[in-house]
Every structure is written in structure tokens, then in C-alpha cells.
Amino acid sequence: QVQLVESGGGLVQAGGSLRLSCAASGRTFSRYGMGWFRQAPGKEREFVAVITRSGASTYYRDSVQGRFTISRDNAKNTVYLQMNSLKPEDTAVYYCAADSDIGLNLTPGQYEYWGRGTQVTVSS
């Protein structure tokens, strides 16, 4: 069982930055690939970024490539999402999720554990 708690969301102007954190409970954090997803009002939840168990590999959706960076600290049981050059279209609730499968999984249904989300609002 893994419990995930996101933090770091807020209101920011376009062009600004935010750093999201996701703290995981338990001693097996390093056994999970971690993903960030987001969901805007009236839209489906979509993949944002993923990182493998060791942190050696990452993958991003095209629209955030070069602006967002996913990282993890297995000693602190935490995964991060650094978001720079934010745009109004990045506005959404951001969720972190844990996946016990090997590889970079992009589909929400493949993830076993989810946090409750943190709101990110980017004003124009």
C-alpha cells in the first residue's frame, strides 16, 4: 500500500514557475515508477511526465517538454515536478501516481495508487 500526498500548487502568472512535490508513505517507494498527470475542468485526465524507479529515465508529453522537469529523491520518498514558463493552458489539478510495473507508462489506468491532487492555476 502506498499513500501519496501532493503539494506546491497555487496561482501563478503566465511565465512563472511552480514546484510540485509528492510525498509517498511506506518503505517501498523505490519499487515504483512515478507519474504526474493533470485534469482540467471538462477534460479527461492526461499524462504529463513519468520517471522510472531509479530516476534514470524520464518522459514528457510534448506540450511540456523543455519546460517541466520530473525528478525523485528515493531517500526522501518524494517525487517532484518543476514547472517553468507556465502557460494558462497548464491550468489543471495535478496528480501524482505510482506504478509497480517496469518501464515508462503513460496510461492512467496502469497506475495503482493516486494522490488527491493539487490545483495549479496560471493567469494570463
Side-chain angles (χ1 to χ4, degrees):
Q1 188 78 6
V2 177
Q3 292 185 330
L4 304 173
V5 179
E6 303 94 338
S7 62
L11 173 64
V12 64
Q13 289 187 331
S17 298
L18 284 174
R19 188 195 197 201
L20 305 184
S21 299
C22 172
S25 65
R27 296 175 290 177
T28 59
F29 178 69
S30 61
R31 297 181 184 178
Y32 292 88
M34 298 298 298
W36 284 98
F37 294 80
R38 67 188 181 188
Q39 188 166 17
K43 296 187 177 181
E44 293 187 353
R45 190 168 299 189
E46 65 181 19
F47 162 77
V48 175
V50 61
I51 189 166
T52 52
R53 298 171 179 182
S54 67
S57 296
T58 59
Y59 188 76
Y60 302 88
R61 72 179 296 109
D62 288 347
S63 62
V64 308
Q65 179 74 46
R67 299 188 297 123
F68 291 11
T69 303
I70 188 172
S71 62
R72 67 188 297 161
D73 185 338
N74 286 345
K76 294 182 178 180
N77 283 9
T78 303
V79 63
Y80 305 97
L81 186 67
Q82 177 67 44
M83 306 186 295
N84 299 328
S85 302
L86 282 161
K87 303 176 181 180
E89 51 263 44
D90 294 318
T91 295
V93 177
Y94 283 70
Y95 300 88
C96 69
D99 171 28
S100 62
D101 287 342
I102 294 174
L104 296 166
N105 294 319
L106 312 187
T107 305
Q110 294 177 297
Y111 285 77
E112 295 129 274
Y113 302 104
W114 290 83
R116 292 191 173 188
T118 185
Q119 176 70 48
V120 171
T121 303
V122 185
S123 63
S124 58

